[in-house]
Amino acid sequence: MRHDRKNRMSLFKRLLVLWCSGILIVTGCSDRQIFDETGLSTAVGYDLLKDGKIRGTSIMPSINPEARHKIQILSAIGETSKGIRDQINLQSDKRVLGGQIRVALYSEKFAKHGLGSIIDTLYRDSSLSSRIYLCVFAGETYDMLNYPYSEEGNIGIYLYRLIEQNIRGEKIPSSTMHEFFRAYYEKGIDPFMPYIEKKGNELQIKGIALFKGDRYVTWITPKEAFLIKLMHGKFSVGSYDTSVPASIFGESPKNHSTKKDQVQLVFDTISSHSKIDLSQVSPPIFDIHLHLRARILELTIPLKLENAKMMKIMEKALEKELKKELEKLIRKLKSHGVDPTGFGSIYRSKRRGMADMTQAEWRKMFQDATFRFHVKSTIIRNGVMD
């Protein structure tokens, strides 16, 4: 009996091995067949045409080793993104899939018209990741994606890495499709996207595009985007450069051709945190307390950093400059009627009975609101002097 049981166990193991091997073979063949028959788009661009139709451009890597070009670019015109994809499929020998799309770009003209419906279509597509980066491009995306870049290769992957590394380096805030829609539907905050431009033969992040609802209205520089991050979160990677009068140090710069005898200071943020208080309800008064510990990386005059008095002067200069720039940024946001900072959300969370506050109500209150900045900095003695 023991011998029979042993034989049955051996037979069962052999059958199990054969079954697993068959599954692996079938699965391997199936994956290879799908890969050979599909095209994986890595980036898409959308432009608004004069007749109101949309031109979509899709970029895909070429897997054919005999192909002259590393990428394949297909473009079509339609009323919707789904219709555009169907038209693109009619031009391709492979079924075009969007599961690998990393970046979706929209021309500035299209963004000014409003992006809510076309982004909503992408958001509802279950084959797409909600972590796609959305961008505004200063020009036509068709021209940008069709440009023969010599070094970048797959421009879709290049754009993704360009945005990703600047988000990781905390140069710009993140704006995935999910984050855009969260801000779009939330009362008290406006969405934003990276603002891309083509400069010569290269692409670069010009700044951050600001939206009023789903319409692009203006943009801010990466330096101004840094200030928004400073107000609303902890971070430890970003850097900040500013200029202060040389006279506060009792010094003059070596190069007297510098404008207005300014000294350039470059700081590396080691740590920061903020606290926002709603000190008055109507009209709203916000007290924003910012504290950062920063390492000085570079300055354009030789200073003895061991001198405690000199460090205090530098800290006060940084605090004064940051406060001035923050106030300037708030004035700019008010002039365009946009609140990417999310002060409206803070107002709703700190005041009872405001759950039903509309975006229009907050926009009016935002114009009347007062923002008082209290900046405290601590500078660590380290850096380079010119």
Side-chain angles (χ1 to χ4, degrees):
M1 183 180 286
R2 186 179 298 173
H3 181 71
D4 291 342
R5 186 186 300 169
K6 194 171 182 181
N7 285 339
R8 285 198 300 270
M9 286 297 294
S10 177
L11 179 61
F12 174 76
K13 287 179 181 179
R14 277 186 234 159
L15 289 172
L16 181 61
V17 169
L18 286 171
W19 181 77
C20 290
S21 299
I23 290 293
L24 288 172
I25 291 169
V26 171
T27 304
C29 293
S30 176
D31 285 345
R32 183 165 59 250
Q33 186 179 7
I34 291 173
F35 185 75
D36 289 345
E37 294 178 357
T38 58
L40 300 176
S41 179
T42 57
V44 290
Y46 297 99
D47 301 306
L48 185 65
L49 304 181
K50 290 181 180 180
D51 59 2
K53 291 187 177 180
I54 302 167
R55 178 175 56 198
T57 307
S58 178
I59 187 165
M60 300 180 296
S62 176
I63 60 173
N64 185 353
E66 298 178 1
R68 292 179 57 189
H69 302 288
K70 296 179 181 178
I71 56 175
Q72 184 179 11
I73 301 171
L74 300 172
S75 181
I77 295 173
E79 302 281 352
T80 65
S81 60
K82 178 67 169 61
I84 290 168
R85 190 186 302 177
D86 290 341
Q87 289 294 319
I88 286 176
N89 267 298
L90 293 174
Q91 303 173 33
S92 177
D93 62 336
K94 302 183 190 314
R95 187 162 60 96
V96 179
L97 300 178
Q100 289 300 311
I101 292 177
R102 308 293 182 88
V103 180
L105 301 116
Y106 304 91
S107 69
E108 187 174 327
K109 177 184 175 182
F110 197 175
K112 286 180 178 178
H113 185 266
L115 300 177
S117 59
I118 192 164
I119 296 179
D120 184 67
T121 303
L122 289 177
Y123 193 59
R124 295 176 188 278
D125 190 335
S126 60
S127 69
L128 301 179
S129 168
S130 63
R131 294 198 57 79
I132 293 173
Y133 288 125
L134 307 181
C135 307
V136 172
F137 178 68
E140 296 291 298
T141 65
Y142 175 83
D143 297 332
M144 187 265 270
L145 292 174
N146 275 279
Y147 185 81
Y149 301 95
S150 57
E151 299 295 331
E152 284 81 354
N154 187 328
I155 195 63
I157 300 298
Y158 175 80
L159 279 168
Y160 172 79
R161 290 173 178 167
L162 173 68
I163 297 166
E164 179 79 0
Q165 73 92 3
N166 277 284
I167 290 172
R168 289 181 182 274
E170 303 201 71
K171 301 292 185 184
I172 59 171
S174 176
S175 180
T176 61
M177 183 161 59
H178 172 73
E179 289 164 332
F180 181 91
F181 263 98
R182 185 176 61 186
Y184 176 63
Y185 285 115
E186 186 176 338
K187 300 171 186 176
I189 187 171
D190 286 305
F192 49 81
M193 297 180 190
Y195 187 40
I196 309 291
E197 70 171 352
K198 183 172 172 289
K199 196 168 185 179
N201 296 326
E202 302 295 332
L203 294 171
Q204 67 176 25
I205 298 174
K206 185 177 182 180
I208 298 298
L210 303 183
F211 285 74
K212 193 172 185 177
D214 70 336
R215 295 174 184 264
Y216 163 73
V217 292
T218 189
W219 65 280
I220 58 175
T221 66
K223 190 173 181 179
E224 290 170 319
F226 169 91
L227 296 175
I228 290 178
K229 285 182 65 68
L230 190 65
M231 282 188 275
H232 288 283
K234 297 181 179 181
F235 60 99
S236 58
V237 182
S239 61
Y240 185 80
D241 65 275
T242 187
S243 59
V244 297
S247 58
I248 69 170
F249 299 112
E251 299 277 350
S252 296
K254 292 187 294 182
N255 184 1
H256 291 278
S257 65
T258 54
K259 58 179 182 179
K260 298 181 181 179
D261 290 341
Q262 295 287 300
V263 177
Q264 289 296 126
L265 304 176
V266 182
F267 298 93
D268 183 38
T269 303
I270 291 179
S271 63
S272 74
H273 66 267
S274 66
K275 181 186 177 190
I276 300 176
D277 296 321
L278 179 62
S279 304
Q280 180 177 299
V281 171
S282 184
I285 296 178
F286 292 91
D287 281 291
I288 302 99
H289 302 270
L290 306 173
H291 184 214
L292 65 155
R293 287 169 51 85
R295 176 181 58 190
I296 184 163
L297 291 182
E298 187 175 353
L299 63 159
T300 53
I301 60 173
L303 292 175
K304 293 182 178 179
L305 298 182
E306 295 79 12
N307 188 326
K309 182 180 178 181
M310 196 65 70
M311 294 300 293
K312 286 293 180 185
I313 292 173
M314 200 176 297
E315 288 170 352
K316 293 298 180 185
L318 176 59
E319 291 166 3
K320 183 179 179 180
E321 181 67 18
L322 280 172
K323 183 180 177 182
K324 183 181 78 174
E325 291 299 320
L326 286 161
E327 291 170 345
K328 181 180 175 183
L329 174 61
I330 290 293
R331 289 195 297 271
K332 182 176 182 178
L333 297 178
K334 282 187 174 185
S335 70
H336 291 282
V338 293
D339 177 22
T341 54
F343 280 108
S345 298
I346 295 170
Y347 183 85
R348 288 177 61 237
S349 67
K350 291 182 179 288
R351 188 184 173 192
R352 289 184 179 180
M354 294 304 293
D356 296 327
M357 179 186 75
T358 65
Q359 193 75 322
E361 288 173 332
W362 169 243
R363 292 196 197 285
K364 187 176 183 303
M365 285 190 282
F366 182 60
Q367 293 297 327
D368 299 329
T370 299
F371 299 87
R372 301 187 298 208
F373 294 97
H374 311 275
V375 184
K376 174 67 177 175
S377 68
T378 304
I379 296 177
I380 296 174
R381 298 171 178 83
N382 194 5
V384 176
M385 294 174 291
D386 288 344

